[in-house]
Amino acid sequence: MSTLDTIKEQIESNTILLYMKGTPRAPQCGFSAQTVQALMGCGERFAFVNILENPEIRAELPKYANWPTFPQLWVKGELVGGCDIVVEMAANGELQTLITDAMAGEAE
């Protein structure tokens, strides 16, 4: 399986997916830490990929997503954005709505 196939499969098989540096319990950059905190505040489980342990994904994902930086939050196959966007959405309530709606769709 190619790296692009792996990325596509990860995005398609996880309702909420965060590509980040480190893990949710041990983020390895401030932007990943802020994003995890915002996401955890929504109260739903999410999948993650530690790009520091996956250099091929770290190299290929920015091209696939047309988004150069990490972290990257994907919800229902769509790129939501990086740290600034996620934190802003958390502050104005949009992130909670997005996450709740995404998970409600999974329960159906």
Side-chain angles (χ1 to χ4, degrees):
M1 188 190 279
S2 75
T3 302
L4 271 180
D5 289 336
T6 300
I7 290 169
K8 288 177 187 173
E9 195 267 324
Q10 289 170 338
I11 291 169
E12 289 170 8
S13 61
N14 293 287
T15 304
I16 303 167
L17 176 61
L18 180 63
Y19 287 95
M20 64 180 291
K21 293 179 180 175
T23 67
R25 292 195 178 173
Q28 303 221 335
C29 87
F31 298 118
S32 289
Q34 289 179 57
T35 305
V36 163
Q37 189 173 12
L39 206 46
M40 287 182 154
C42 295
E44 295 288 351
R45 293 176 56 93
F46 60 91
F48 72 92
V49 174
N50 179 353
I51 60 156
L52 299 177
E53 293 178 352
N54 296 277
E56 318 78 30
I57 290 175
R58 185 179 186 176
E60 291 297 320
L61 185 61
K63 297 176 214 163
Y64 175 79
N66 200 21
W67 190 268
T69 59
F70 293 98
Q72 290 186 15
L73 176 62
W74 292 75
V75 177
K76 293 182 79 175
E78 298 289 325
L79 176 63
V80 175
C83 178
D84 292 348
I85 292 170
V86 172
V87 169
E88 181 181 320
M89 288 177 71
N92 68 23
E94 288 178 41
L95 186 64
Q96 181 71 60
T97 301
L98 177 70
I99 298 300
T100 301
D101 290 353
M103 294 311 288
E106 289 301 296
E108 292 172 0

